Amino acid sequence: MTPEQIAPLVAFLVADSAKEVNGQTFAVRGTEITLFSVPSPERAIHRAGGWTVDALAEQLPETFKRDFAPLVSGSPKPPQSGETRRHRHFAASAARRLTGSLPSNRSQSAGCGLCG
């Protein structure tokens, strides 16, 4: 999978045209988008003032790791750490451009191979 395959769904979900799409769980696998049945909560975390990507990176993996569902055989392998940073940056940049908080010709992350 590439960031270009994931970003359109992320950008759509933050757009006004998705205002009726709430509380849903989606997965992107290549060119296929899947809607999952309503999951039941396993664990929750709260942070006064809201979350940043860095705060999530610091707290979410260790807090939720023991409750992660195992990957299904044949699922794509998780990205390496550098790929994860690029994916996160690409999706966040697409969402910021869509909402108008970042000009389409600017990137907040210098040296990004996708936005460069």
Side-chain angles (χ1 to χ4, degrees):
M1 279 192 312
T2 65
E4 293 85 1
Q5 291 170 311
I6 299 166
L9 178 62
V10 173
F12 165 73
L13 290 172
V14 300
D16 288 340
S17 57
K19 65 183 175 191
E20 302 290 325
V21 183
N22 293 300
Q24 305 304 311
T25 303
F26 295 96
V28 177
R29 188 170 158 169
T31 59
E32 176 182 86
I33 297 174
T34 303
L35 171 66
F36 285 88
S37 61
V38 179
S40 59
E42 290 286 334
R43 181 175 301 279
I45 54 178
H46 171 78
R47 183 170 190 256
W51 292 95
T52 64
V53 173
D54 290 336
L56 283 169
E58 193 174 299
Q59 190 171 354
L60 188 139
E62 287 303 315
T63 303
F64 289 157
K65 187 186 302 184
R66 69 179 183 195
D67 295 311
F68 284 169
L71 292 177
V72 177
S73 177
S75 293
K77 70 178 187 171
Q80 301 302 313
S81 62
E83 293 173 338
T84 302
R85 176 187 291 275
R86 285 194 315 264
H87 292 206
R88 187 172 56 230
H89 170 72
F90 183 83
S93 292
R96 285 191 300 266
R97 280 193 296 272
L98 185 65
T99 60
S101 62
L102 181 69
S104 60
N105 63 349
R106 252 189 71 222
S107 168
Q108 287 185 333
S109 175
C112 174
L114 296 170
C115 300

